[in-house]
Amino acid sequence: MDVLVSRLEALERAVYSAERHTPVHADNNHNNSGLVEQVLQIERQLGKVLSENSALGTGLQKYEKLRGSIDGDGDLELSRQLLGVNAKTELILLNDSALRTLPDLRTIDSLQGKVNQPEYAAAAELLPRIKQSLEPENEQQMMEFKQVVADISSMVDRYHTEVDALSEMFVQWDRILANIERKVTELESASR
């Protein structure tokens, strides 16, 4: 596309400089028909290239859709200075992805009324009253919870105390039995 534009600009410069240096004749009509033939030939070549490469055709179609926003007010040189090729490519790609997200935006728009129901606003207003009505019950539950935690802690402490006492008793019984066994063994060995 840039090749076509640059060739057209070169042609315009040549025509403009030729018009400035040559007087106007009746033959001027012949020159114009030569230019028209050249433009038609360029268009035919462009059509041939586009038919051979479908990706270029698709890109050109996207470009034609976005020409107003990409090229500005029609001044090619000014728009080329304002937006580079990369920026124009990004605009085309962004527009392509925007077309894919458009159905999602329509769905969101249709659901907007369901999301912003007046009942939700009323719920926000009722929240402080709900907190006030639940606060005493919540405090009661917290007191009961603390009491249950204290009871469980006390049970665990008693359990450990009893287990320690039983352990000490078993250790004492083990010592007593060991002493009895030793004395029985001594008496048996003395009686033999």
Side-chain angles (χ1 to χ4, degrees), residues 15-116:
V15 169
Y16 180 70
S17 65
E19 285 179 353
R20 288 181 54 199
H21 296 299
T22 58
V24 177
H25 297 294
D27 211 24
N28 200 13
N29 217 4
H30 175 69
N31 287 342
N32 285 342
S33 66
L35 290 177
V36 171
E37 287 177 20
Q38 287 181 356
V39 168
L40 290 174
Q41 182 182 4
I42 291 172
E43 285 179 354
R44 282 192 298 264
Q45 289 175 348
L46 177 64
K48 181 180 175 184
V49 168
L50 292 177
S51 68
E52 291 173 356
N53 192 340
S54 62
L56 287 177
T58 304
L60 185 61
Q61 288 174 351
K62 288 181 182 180
Y63 174 77
E64 290 299 327
K65 287 179 187 176
L66 301 170
R67 175 182 274 184
S69 62
I70 294 175
D71 286 340
D73 60 356
D75 184 2
L76 292 176
E77 189 60 36
L78 178 63
S79 65
R80 200 172 294 131
Q81 290 173 357
L82 294 176
L83 290 175
V85 174
N86 290 339
K88 291 178 184 181
T89 304
E90 285 182 30
L91 282 174
I92 291 172
L93 293 175
L94 285 173
N95 187 45
D96 192 38
S97 65
L99 290 175
R100 280 189 239 122
T101 59
L102 188 60
D104 295 335
L105 292 176
R106 287 184 182 138
T107 304
I108 290 171
D109 190 40
S110 68
L111 295 174
Q112 195 73 27
K114 295 175 183 162
V115 171
N116 294 329

Side-chain angles (χ1 to χ4, degrees), residues 161-174:
T161 303
E162 289 177 13
V163 166
D164 286 343
L166 287 173
S167 294
E168 285 182 33
M169 284 175 40
F170 285 129
V171 167
Q172 288 292 343
W173 288 349
D174 185 49

